[in-house]
Amino acid sequence: MPILLIIDPVEIGMWGYDPYTYSLPALHQFAAGQVTSIIQSGSYPATYALTSFVSTLTGNSLEGTAKYIPFTTGLIPLFLFVACRRQVGTSNALVIAVIAASTRTLLGFETKFVDEILAVTLSFFLFFLLPRCKTKSQRLIALGVLGVVAYAHHATALFLLIGLVCWRIGIPITQYVGDHLFTNHLQVRLEKTQFRPKWNTILILIMFVLTLPLYAGEGFFSLILSSMLESLSGNTSSLTGGGIDTGSSGFFSLLSTSLTASLIALTIYSLWRIINTKNEGWEVGWFVFVGILGVLYASTLVLGRVLPLDPIRLLIFIVPLLGAVAISKLPQDQASRHTIGVILIAVLLIIPNLASIPPNLLITDISHKPPIGEGHYTAQQWSASEWASTYDRRIIRVHEKGLWSATGNTYSVRRDICSNTTFVERDGLSIKDSPLNKIYTTGGVRLNRC
């Protein structure tokens, strides 16, 4: 006989495969004190520590708090605006902030509850803070933020370390090359607040000390090496469109793919202007950093996963920082030409990014039909998953893997196993054709023992 349970469910409201499959389980592990297990599984604890702290402070549930933590990434355009305003002016800095806000990574990935949201947000905060560190308290804040980034996300911490190295050695190398190969052309003008060799060296050493034990313990470098070897051997397929599904529309797909051409054109333009004009220290440092990430991005599109990351993850740094450098290198002598140049750069970067984001059908929690895929799970589905994790510890044969793993259920998508399993029947579609022994039913979700 069917058992009907009426449970007051927690309305999650998050979306995406990663939050339900990886981030929520890691959050519950952190709340249970299993920090070592989190790191061993590839998730660093800083984002989960922030979520737990806010949950305790507000009295809200962990899941309810996690739903809103991604809002912190909305600070990224603000940090970039403040960082660029003094260098390029308020109006140009505002355009750069809009470019950052339109980047497909920010809209399509950083709005999910994933490991890197805190690390990426604080990295852009450091772009603003580091050039302005004059007092001891400011430097202590910078070191504290650096430590949080190191324990928030491995790849972002590595990218930030690369950025610091570019800032430290990229400018002296540029000065040397300019003096010997591009006399009277390639020049870098530095401000005391922008470049202090001793301070930058200390930052790099601290960042290296913080991240190396984590990488060594998790085998992160071996994972990168194996990805590179696989891509070079041709065992991984190449990726197009920056890792974004552009849908069936050929027009929007073409616009999305044009981002690669935009990045190449702006890189060539920025390099030409850097060689032939006097430069600020931040322009050279950011350009070298973007160049390194650009090579990784292009290699991933052509060869496959050179890094164990989707190439879209690199765009969060490449697009806004390259846009900032390109805008700063526009001619300043004619206002009309400068304005046209700013508009052109904005169009080249904003339109392809927005075109890559397909329309989404958002099915709310009051819908009678559960959504499928990277969507928004209903309250009834969430209740079923919670009930199973509490009362039924069998392997669950499922459709939506992320939903069931988020509460700690052991799941499988295999159709050919039956022993000691529970399977999900949904909207008349079942893994098993003749469901028997129904143990749970509510809101269109039915669980059956095999």
Side-chain angles (χ1 to χ4, degrees):
M1 180 177 180
I3 300 174
L4 175 63
L5 279 135
I6 300 176
I7 301 176
D8 183 18
V10 177
E11 181 180 332
I12 299 299
M14 290 191 294
W15 71 286
Y17 176 82
D18 286 12
Y20 285 99
T21 305
Y22 301 109
S23 302
L24 277 178
L27 176 61
H28 285 287
Q29 282 183 311
F30 179 87
Q34 301 173 6
V35 180
T36 303
S37 299
I38 294 175
I39 296 178
Q40 290 175 346
S41 65
S43 297
Y44 286 2
T47 299
Y48 306 113
L50 173 65
T51 306
S52 298
F53 173 76
V54 175
S55 174
T56 303
L57 188 66
T58 60
N60 196 14
S61 65
L62 284 174
E63 296 86 354
T65 304
K67 176 179 178 179
Y68 297 102
I69 285 296
F71 283 175
T72 58
T73 58
L75 295 171
I76 290 176
L78 175 63
F79 291 149
L80 198 57
F81 169 77
V82 177
C84 296
R85 183 175 58 180
R86 187 174 64 177
Q87 282 79 15
V88 300
T90 301
S91 59
N92 288 337
L94 182 60
V95 174
I96 295 169
V98 173
I99 291 173
S102 305
T103 304
R104 63 184 63 175
T105 317
L106 182 60
L107 298 176
F109 190 77
E110 309 298 349
T111 53
K112 303 176 183 180
F113 180 62
V114 291
D115 284 354
E116 70 183 55
I117 51 178
L118 180 61
V120 171
T121 302
L122 292 181
S123 294
F124 279 91
F125 175 68
L126 288 173
F127 287 140
F128 152 71
L129 179 62
L130 290 179
R132 294 165 175 79
C133 283
K134 298 179 181 179
T135 65
K136 182 179 180 180
S137 60
Q138 289 174 329
R139 295 182 180 182
L140 289 176
I141 292 174
L143 292 176
V145 173
L146 204 67
V148 174
V149 173
Y151 284 85
H153 189 250
H154 41 63
T156 304
L158 179 61
F159 295 152
L160 183 60
L161 181 60
I162 293 173
L164 291 174
V165 172
C166 292
W167 187 19
R168 174 63 182 89
I169 68 175
I171 295 173
I173 290 176
T174 304
Q175 288 178 317
Y176 178 84
V177 173
D179 292 340
H180 291 78
L181 298 180
F182 298 94
T183 307
N184 299 324
H185 289 281
L186 186 59
Q187 301 179 29
V188 182
R189 186 176 70 86
L190 302 173
E191 296 180 5
K192 291 182 179 180
T193 57
Q194 287 182 326
F195 183 71
R196 288 178 295 275
K198 183 178 178 180
W199 168 235
N200 293 346
T201 302
I202 292 174
L203 284 178
I204 292 171
L205 291 176
I206 291 176
M207 191 67 177
F208 184 78
V209 169
L210 286 173
T211 56
L212 184 60
L214 295 174
Y215 294 151
E218 186 193 352
F220 183 72
F221 288 130
S222 62
L223 181 60
I224 291 179
L225 180 60
S226 63
S227 296
M228 289 184 175
L229 292 176
E230 287 182 4
S231 62
L232 293 175
S233 63
N235 291 331
T236 59
S237 59
S238 61
L239 300 171
T240 59
I244 283 290
D245 180 10
T246 57
S248 58
S249 173
F251 175 72
F252 285 102
S253 178
L254 179 62
L255 279 180
S256 174
T257 306
S258 69
L259 177 64
T260 302
S262 298
L263 295 177
I264 293 174
L266 292 179
T267 299
I268 294 174
Y269 171 77
S270 300
L271 178 60
W272 174 68
R273 292 290 294 174
I274 286 175
I275 292 175
N276 290 282
T277 62
K278 293 183 179 180
N279 305 280
E280 301 287 343
W282 71 273
E283 294 172 338
V284 175
W286 285 16
F287 182 77
V288 174
F289 178 43
V290 167
I292 293 174
L293 297 185
V295 170
L296 295 175
Y297 176 76
S299 301
T300 302
L301 293 180
V302 175
L303 301 175
R305 291 187 181 274
V306 177
L307 294 178
L309 300 170
D310 194 296
I312 185 181
R313 310 276 283 276
L314 301 174
L315 293 179
I316 189 65
F317 294 108
I318 294 175
V319 171
L321 298 186
L322 179 59
V325 174
I327 288 176
S328 72
K329 301 309 295 180
L330 289 171
Q332 304 290 332
D333 51 350
Q334 295 185 12
S336 59
R337 290 176 58 190
H338 181 84
T339 301
I340 293 173
V342 171
I343 294 174
L344 179 61
I345 292 172
V347 168
L348 287 174
L349 293 178
I350 292 175
I351 299 300
N353 274 290
L354 294 181
S356 72
I357 303 172
N360 290 283
L361 175 61
L362 297 180
I363 305 177
T364 68
D365 284 330
I366 62 174
S367 171
H368 66 283
K369 290 185 178 181
I372 304 173
E374 282 218 337
H376 182 95
Y377 298 117
T378 66
Q380 292 85 356
Q381 286 178 297
W382 188 253
S383 291
S385 180
E386 287 186 321
W387 182 89
S389 67
T390 304
Y391 300 106
D392 185 45
R393 302 306 298 174
R394 297 168 181 251
I395 298 174
I396 300 180
R397 294 152 63 189
V398 302
H399 299 272
E400 303 92 347
K401 296 184 291 185
L403 168 69
W404 301 93
S405 65
T407 55
N409 291 297
T410 302
Y411 67 88
S412 173
V413 295
R414 291 183 57 185
R415 297 171 179 264
D416 58 343
I417 60 171
C418 185
S419 177
N420 194 34
T421 62
T422 299
F423 60 89
V424 181
E425 182 183 358
R426 175 177 46 78
D427 291 339
L429 301 175
S430 175
I431 293 177
K432 188 174 179 59
D433 296 329
S434 300
L436 300 173
N437 301 324
K438 192 174 294 184
I439 60 172
Y440 177 95
T441 176
T442 184
V445 182
R446 293 168 291 280
L447 302 182
N448 302 268
R449 281 183 177 164
C450 182

